[in-house]
Amino acid sequence: MFPGATEVCDGLDNDCDGTVDPDFIWFTDADGDGFGDDSTAQPSCVPVSGAVQVGGDCDDTNAALQGGVILYVASEFGISAGSAHYVITQGGTTHEGDMVLIDTGDDYAEGSVSVCLGAGCFSISVTPNEVPLAELAFMETPLNPGQNSAFAVIDGFIGSATPPVAELCDGLDNDCDGAVDEGFLWYADVDSDGVGDISTEQFSCTPVPDHVQVAGDCNDADPNLTTVGATCDDGDPNTINDRVRTDCSCQGFVPGDCPPGEIADCNGNCAPAEWVGDGTCDDGSFEHNGIAIFFNCGAFGNDGGDCGSPCDPELCDGQDNDCDGEVDEDFLWYVDADGDGFGFEPSALVFCAPPSGRVQVSGDCDDTDPSINPGALDGCDGVDRNCDGEVPGTTGTEVYSPDWTATSTTGGTVNLFALLAQGKTVVVDLFAAWCPPSQQMLSANFLQDWNAHMGPDGTDQIRIVAIAVDQSAGNLTPFINTAQWPVIVDNGESFGPLYNAIGMYNNAVPTLLMICPDRSVTMLYGGPDRLPYTGLFQYDAAAATPLLNERCACRSACLTNIGCMDVNACDYDPTATCPGPCSQAQEWFVDNDGDGVGSTSLGTHARSPPTVPPRAVIATTKTPARKWASPCPSSPTTPATSARHTTSSNRVAPPSRATWTFLRRPRASVSCPCASAATATPSPSPRTMSPSGRKLT
C-alpha cells in the first residue's frame, strides 16, 4: 500500500487516498437508464446483476430522469429573509417557483431547491422578489457532486445535468454551451495565415476549401497581419514587441527611445509622462505624434486611476486589458510533446486561436514522459513525477538519528537501529511524569490507541518507545504500568542532550519524534504539532496513516549499511550515512597538544579523524601515538584483537555500548510546551477546522 498504487478489490486502501475499494461500488439501476440510485450503493468485486457503477439517479423509476440539480440562491449581505423566483427549463419541461431565503446567521439569507432532470441541456434563470439578491448563485449537479459551481444571477445558466455530448451539425445545442452549431462556421483565408476574414462567415457541416474556422483577420491580404495584438514583424531589427495594432499595422517599440519628458505607453508608443493621472482617461481617444495613446493598463494603474475600474477581460490584442501587469497572458500556449495535457514552460508563445500540439497548462518538467507532470502521483521510485522539485521521500534537509541501546523497565534491551532494520518506524516519546500534556496523553490513551492501530497487533508499521527524559518530579508508575511498549527510565535523562545535539529536542516535554527506517527524524510534538489527534489528545486514525506515508513511505531500511551502523560489526562507523558504501573503520585518540601522542581516554571508531568537541578533551597519561588496526582478523594466522574489547596498561577498556552512547551531562531545565505558568493547566495546541461553504458576493 502506497500513494499511487493501483486500487484492487481487497478491502484495503491500496492507494492510501482514505477510501477503500472506491472502484468497486455498484448502484441498483431499476429503470435501466445507466444511472444508479445512490442509496443502494454496495461494494462488490464482481459485477452485480441489475446494477451499474455510476450513481446519481434522482428518480430510478423513470428512465427519462437521471440528474438531480440543486440550486442555491442568497440575498445581499445585511438581509436576513426574503424570497427569489426561479425557472429551470429542459426541453418542453419547466420547473418554476419561489424559493424561500432563510437567515444563515452570517448576515445573509439563503435558500435552495432540488429538481430532477433528464439527459440534455437545461437553463436556469433567477430573479429577485422583494429583496435584492447576491451577484452569484450556485448549483450542484451529478457532474460535480459535493462541489458548487457559481454563475452570475443576471446572466443565468446553461448546462447539462449529465455528461454533454460533442457538438453536431444538426441545428441543436448538443454540448450545452448556449450556442448552436458553433463548430461549423467557416471563414475565407485568402492569405493562408490560418486566420479568416469574419465578414466571409458561412455555415457548413463539411470543410469549405480555402476556408478556416478561426476568424478575426484584420487584413486577409497580408499574412504578416492577423488579429489585433498578434505578433508580427515590422521589418526593423531594432524594435521589440512587434504587434498588430488597432489600425491593423505592425509596429514595434525601440527601448529607451522616448525623448525627455515622455514615456512609453501600454503599447510602447511615446507620450507625455504628465498624461498619467491628469484626470483624463487615455484609452486610445487621444493621439500623440499621430498615434493613439493607451495608458489604461496595469503597468500604469489604469492611467493613474483616470480610467477607473473594473478592468476588461483579457483579449488577444497586445494590451493588458485586465490590468494585472501582463499582456495576453490568457493566450499563452505550451508545447505538449508527450500528450499528457501539460506543456513545457520555456516553449510558451502567444496564439489567439488554439494551435495544434500545444496546451494552455504548463509545468511539465519532462515533456518526453507522459507519466511525469504536475498532475501525476509520486511513487517510491526515486523520480520526481509530480514536478514539485522533490524526489519522493526526500527533502534535502533530513536529520538522522544516532544509534542507541538502552534497558527498559522490564529488563529488555532496546536497540534503535535493530528496530529500524526491520523496516519499522519508531515513535519516541520523551516525556516527564510531572508535565500535564504527558499526563493528558496518558489519560486519553493516545499512545495506546496509536499502538493498537499501527503497532505489532495492528498494521505492524510502528514501534513506540517511551523515555523518561526528565525525572525531577512526578510519579512514573502509571506510565510504566499502562505501557504496552518499552519504557526507559535508567539513564533516560541522557536522551535529552543526545537529541538536542541534532536539533530534535529543545528542553520541552513532551517531545515526540518519528524516526523512519532510514534513520531520518521528524519532530511531531515539542515545537511543531503534527501529531494525529483531535480534541484533547484523542487519537485520529484517519490522520495517522497519511502522516506515516508522508514521512516514511519512501524511506526503506538501510539494510546494506546496517553493518557500518552496528557497533558490534567490524566495519562500525558512527559517522556513516545512509545510503552509501562503508569503508573500514579505524580507532582514533584525542591529541590535545599536537605532539603525535594520544590520550588514554576512549578512542573513537571512524573512517577519518573525527572532530572532537573541546569539552570531550581529557588530559591523561600519554602513550606512543598509533593508529589502531581494524578489529577484523587480517588473516587466519594473524588474529587481530578487537580494539573494542582490548585492555592493557596503556588503554582502558571501552565502556558498554549504552554507557558509551549516553554520557551523563548536567540536565538542562525542561519546560512543558503548553504551560504558561506553574499553576496553569496546559492543554494541546488548539486545532481549528475551516468550515466548508460558499463565498457569497
Side-chain angles (χ1 to χ4, degrees):
M1 294 186 293
F2 58 87
T6 301
E7 188 74 18
V8 296
C9 192
D10 57 1
L12 300 174
D13 179 15
N14 308 99
D15 55 6
C16 304
D17 66 353
T19 59
V20 175
D21 298 342
D23 300 331
F24 301 92
I25 305 298
W26 298 82
F27 308 89
T28 300
D29 181 17
D31 56 12
D33 61 1
F35 295 85
D37 182 351
D38 285 344
S39 65
T40 64
Q42 59 176 309
S44 176
C45 296
V46 296
V48 178
S49 177
V52 294
Q53 288 191 286
V54 180
D57 199 329
C58 55
D59 186 346
D60 204 31
T61 64
N62 187 344
L65 301 176
Q66 300 101 20
V69 174
I70 304 175
L71 171 65
Y72 301 91
V73 178
S75 69
E76 287 187 348
F77 283 105
I79 297 174
S80 60
S83 65
H85 190 74
Y86 67 90
V87 179
I88 302 178
T89 303
Q90 185 177 50
T93 303
T94 298
H95 304 268
E96 184 174 4
D98 288 325
M99 180 189 310
V100 177
L101 308 181
I102 302 172
D103 188 6
T104 63
D106 291 324
D107 203 27
Y108 69 90
E110 183 183 55
S112 64
V113 64
S114 179
V115 176
C116 194
L117 301 175
C121 306
F122 71 93
S123 64
I124 299 176
S125 66
V126 179
T127 54
N129 284 337
E130 69 280 6
V131 298
L133 302 179
E135 180 181 345
L136 298 179
F138 297 82
M139 69 166 187
E140 178 182 342
T141 73
L143 298 180
N144 57 352
Q147 302 180 25
N148 297 303
S149 300
F151 65 90
V153 170
I154 192 173
D155 297 328
F157 174 83
I158 297 177
S160 177
T162 55
V165 298
E167 188 73 8
L168 302 176
C169 190
D170 57 2
L172 300 175
D173 179 16
N174 310 97
D175 57 5
C176 304
D177 65 353
V180 175
D181 295 343
E182 68 276 10
F184 300 92
L185 296 176
W186 300 85
Y187 309 89
D189 183 18
V190 176
D191 56 9
S192 300
D193 59 5
V195 183
D197 182 353
I198 194 169
S199 66
T200 65
E201 178 183 287
Q202 62 174 296
F203 171 81
S204 175
C205 292
T206 58
V208 179
D210 300 321
H211 284 61
V212 294
Q213 290 188 287
V214 179
D217 199 331
C218 65
N219 185 342
D220 203 29
D222 187 347
N224 187 46
L225 301 174
T226 53
T227 58
V228 173
T231 57
C232 59
D233 184 1
D234 66 358
D236 186 347
N238 297 315
T239 61
I240 61 173
N241 193 29
D242 295 359
R243 296 294 179 97
V244 179
R245 304 305 182 183
T246 54
D247 63 352
C248 203
S249 65
C250 183
Q251 294 181 8
F253 167 58
V254 179
D257 201 34
C258 292
E262 296 186 4
I263 57 176
D265 73 349
C266 303
N267 297 322
N269 299 311
C270 298
E274 63 189 30
W275 283 19
V276 178
D278 63 355
T280 301
C281 178
D282 298 300
D283 196 20
S285 301
F286 300 92
E287 295 182 350
H288 184 67
N289 295 329
I291 300 175
I293 300 301
F294 294 83
F295 283 123
N296 185 19
C297 58
F300 295 99
N302 296 353
D303 196 13
D306 292 344
C307 296
S309 60
C311 297
D312 296 325
E314 189 71 7
L315 301 176
C316 191
D317 59 2
Q319 301 180 38
D320 179 19
N321 311 97
D322 56 4
C323 313
D324 64 354
E326 299 182 44
V327 175
D328 296 344
E329 70 277 8
D330 296 340
F331 299 91
L332 288 174
W333 294 80
Y334 308 88
V335 172
D336 181 19
D338 57 12
D340 60 5
F342 294 85
F344 186 47
E345 184 84 34
S347 67
L349 288 175
V350 173
F351 289 88
C352 294
S356 176
R358 288 178 176 262
V359 295
Q360 285 195 286
V361 181
S362 64
D364 200 328
C365 55
D366 186 347
D367 206 29
T368 65
D369 188 339
S371 70
I372 299 177
N373 57 68
L377 293 176
D378 270 336
C380 296
D381 56 1
V383 178
D384 175 20
R385 295 197 176 277
N386 66 356
C387 298
D388 64 355
E390 294 183 2
V391 175
T394 66
T395 64
T397 59
E398 284 80 5
V399 175
Y400 294 94
S401 174
D403 193 14
W404 47 259
T405 299
T407 302
S408 72
T409 55
T410 62
T413 299
V414 183
N415 175 242
L416 175 63
F417 282 4
L419 294 174
L420 301 179
Q422 300 171 30
K424 309 303 180 186
T425 293
V426 177
V427 176
V428 175
D429 175 23
L430 302 175
F431 75 96
W434 55 263
C435 181
S438 291
Q439 297 166 359
Q440 290 162 352
M441 285 189 191
L442 178 66
S443 300
N445 289 322
F446 172 73
L447 291 177
Q448 287 87 340
D449 291 341
W450 198 353
N451 187 61
H453 175 205
M454 307 187 82
D457 295 328
T459 60
D460 197 27
Q461 294 171 280
I462 70 169
R463 294 293 184 267
I464 297 175
V465 179
I467 302 173
V469 73
D470 181 352
Q471 302 171 28
S472 59
N475 183 9
L476 290 170
T477 301
F479 292 87
I480 297 172
N481 290 344
T482 58
Q484 300 166 328
W485 47 84
V487 178
I488 298 172
V489 174
D490 184 24
N491 221 14
E493 292 182 328
S494 61
F495 282 78
L498 178 76
Y499 282 108
N500 178 268
I502 61 172
M504 287 292 147
Y505 180 71
N506 59 5
N507 296 329
V509 288
T511 291
L512 278 85
L513 308 177
M514 176 178 281
I515 307 176
C516 300
D518 71 338
R519 301 190 301 129
S520 60
V521 190
T522 299
M523 184 185 292
L524 299 182
Y525 194 83
D529 186 359
R530 303 186 181 101
L531 283 179
Y533 72 89
T534 60
L536 194 62
F537 293 120
Q538 300 301 310
Y539 177 67
D540 184 355
T545 298
L547 173 67
L548 184 66
N549 287 336
E550 175 190 357
R551 301 292 168 183
C552 301
C554 295
R555 298 179 178 276
S556 57
C558 247
L559 299 177
T560 57
N561 272 24
I562 197 65
C564 309
M565 296 184 292
D566 185 349
V567 74
N568 296 301
C570 63
D571 60 350
Y572 168 68
D573 183 353
T575 66
T577 56
C578 176
C582 292
S583 60
Q584 192 80 348
Q586 296 172 318
E587 192 161 11
W588 302 82
F589 294 89
V590 175
D591 180 15
N592 281 330
D593 53 13
D595 61 0
V597 180
S599 72
T600 57
S601 60
L602 297 177
T604 298
H605 288 80
R607 291 174 295 176
S608 59
T611 300
V612 182
R615 63 184 174 187
V617 174
I618 303 174
T620 59
T621 304
K622 301 181 178 69
T623 58
R626 56 186 173 180
K627 183 167 67 176
W628 290 84
S630 164
C632 294
S634 56
S635 67
T637 58
T638 310
T641 305
S642 170
R644 186 169 172 269
H645 299 289
T646 298
T647 58
S648 70
S649 59
N650 294 325
R651 182 169 179 241
V652 297
S656 68
R657 184 176 184 183
T659 306
W660 185 15
T661 305
F662 304 119
L663 299 177
R664 294 188 64 85
R665 305 176 185 174
R667 179 171 57 81
S669 60
V670 181
S671 61
C672 177
C674 301
S676 59
T679 58
T681 300
S683 60
S685 302
R687 296 287 182 94
T688 302
M689 180 178 292
S690 299
S692 60
R694 297 174 298 281
K695 182 179 180 182
L696 300 175
T697 302

